[in-house]
């Protein structure tokens, strides 16, 4: 019987340049979802705790002290350790550096990007990961295309317009389950998505967990994403 991870890494070092002016004085995960009074990372930590995580390592970079100060003062539902990259290590190196501070290095762990706001069952994802004996499992989302799509027939007549259709492609949703052995496969410096992941895919040790139908998922990249997230939240509450 597999056990779901109780530890997680949150990668919260992003600059969020496309979210300016919100990110002029705070890192991206510290941007508040309008109407909630809570920054993105607060929503993430609550979700992780609700899914059985008892310890999170938050990896800080850009304006780290703003994030650390908020974490120190917040009433958090789980233990948090913060680590700061003193020099840029790349995405893979940063993940490995943060993972070195996990309380149980011989146990599996979750990781999430600091700008993702989502809700789905991490326990189900962990079970999926264990069933496939994967070293790493990525959550996969099918985002809506931000433009209206046009359908045509073979002759070139337009037959339909579809407003913001779901993408035909699945994308990496920025939430992961990693087996303990995955950590040492990460590069010390550089991007694991160009090295470790393709290698594991060739070896069939990389799994993809499609987000369940109706699961909430949004990457907060721009001011428009913030507004949309606030609208969606209001609709859920209404």
């Amino acid at each position: 019987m597999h056990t779901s991870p109780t530890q997680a890494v949150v990668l919260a070092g992003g600059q969020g340049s496309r979210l300016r002016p919100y990110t002029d004085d705070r890192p991206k995960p510290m941007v508040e979802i309008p109407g909630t009074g809570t920054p993105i990372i607060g929503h993430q930590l609550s979700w992780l705790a609700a899914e059985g995580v008892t310890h999170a390592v938050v990896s800080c970079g850009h304006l780290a002290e703003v994030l650390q100060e908020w974490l120190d003062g917040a009433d958090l539902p789980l233990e948090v350790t913060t680590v700061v990259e003193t020099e840029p290590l790349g995405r893979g190196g940063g993940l490995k550096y943060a993972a070195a501070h996990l309380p149980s290095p011989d146990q599996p762990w979750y990781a999430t990007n600091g700008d993702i706001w989502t809700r789905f069952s991490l326990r189900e994802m962990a079970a999926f990961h264990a069933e496939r004996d994967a070293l790493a499992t990525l959550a996969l989302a099918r985002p809506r295309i931000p433009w209206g799509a046009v359908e045509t027939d073979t002759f070139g007549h337009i037959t339909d317009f579809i407003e913001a259709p779901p993408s035909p492609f699945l994308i990496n949703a920025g939430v992961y389950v990693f087996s303990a052995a995955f950590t040492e496969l990460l590069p010390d410096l550089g991007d694991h998505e160009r090295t470790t992941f393709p290698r594991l895919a060739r070896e069939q040790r990389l799994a993809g967990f499609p987000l369940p139908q109706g699961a909430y998922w949004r990457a907060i990249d721009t001011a428009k994403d913030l507004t949309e997230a606030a609208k969606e939240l209001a609709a859920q509450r209404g």
Side-chain angles (χ1 to χ4, degrees):
M1 175 63 194
H2 89 280
T3 52
S4 292
T6 58
Q7 53 185 3
V9 167
V10 179
L11 296 169
Q15 294 210 6
S17 47
R18 286 193 295 163
L19 258 174
R20 288 194 176 126
Y22 296 102
T23 48
D24 284 347
D25 61 352
R26 68 196 62 195
K28 200 171 172 185
M30 278 301 299
V31 173
E32 285 186 12
I33 306 281
T36 69
T38 305
I40 299 165
I41 193 158
H43 292 282
Q44 284 189 323
L45 293 172
S46 300
W47 173 55
L48 290 170
E51 290 291 330
V53 174
T54 55
H55 195 113
V57 176
V58 177
S59 173
C60 318
H62 174 65
L63 296 172
E65 61 288 348
V66 180
L67 183 50
Q68 284 174 314
E69 192 179 321
W70 183 81
L71 289 167
D72 288 345
D75 183 15
L76 299 171
L78 72 182
E79 286 285 311
V80 171
T81 304
T82 55
V83 298
V84 182
E85 284 178 43
T86 46
E87 58 201 68
L89 301 171
R91 290 194 293 183
L95 200 53
K96 190 174 196 173
Y97 179 68
H101 297 80
L102 288 166
S104 309
D106 56 339
Q107 295 295 315
W109 47 292
Y110 297 118
T112 179
N113 296 345
D115 57 355
I116 300 296
W117 190 28
T118 185
R119 287 286 181 278
F120 64 91
S121 171
L122 281 173
R123 291 183 177 93
E124 274 177 32
M125 184 176 168
F128 180 98
H129 170 81
E131 277 162 18
R132 280 148 191 81
D133 194 27
L135 277 168
T137 297
L138 286 61
L140 304 176
R142 199 181 285 280
R144 293 198 165 273
I145 297 172
W147 306 282
V150 177
E151 283 193 350
T152 59
D153 63 16
T154 49
F155 192 67
H157 290 119
I158 289 175
T159 55
D160 204 2
F161 295 92
I162 305 159
E163 195 50 49
S167 163
F169 297 104
L170 290 162
I171 63 157
N172 175 353
V175 180
Y176 312 90
V177 184
F178 296 133
S179 296
F182 173 77
T183 314
E184 62 207 41
L185 303 178
L186 283 164
D188 294 321
L189 195 65
D191 189 350
H192 61 295
E193 297 195 10
R194 299 215 172 120
T195 53
T196 316
F197 279 175
R199 194 176 107 208
L200 289 180
R202 286 193 296 273
E203 294 168 7
Q204 298 207 315
R205 302 297 304 279
L206 189 66
F209 175 76
L211 292 193
Q213 194 71 34
Y216 184 82
W217 181 87
R218 183 173 281 283
I220 309 286
D221 276 327
T222 62
K224 184 168 182 263
D225 291 322
L226 274 179
T227 317
E228 295 289 326
K231 262 195 242 163
E232 284 157 3
L233 192 72
Q236 283 171 9
R237 287 176 170 170

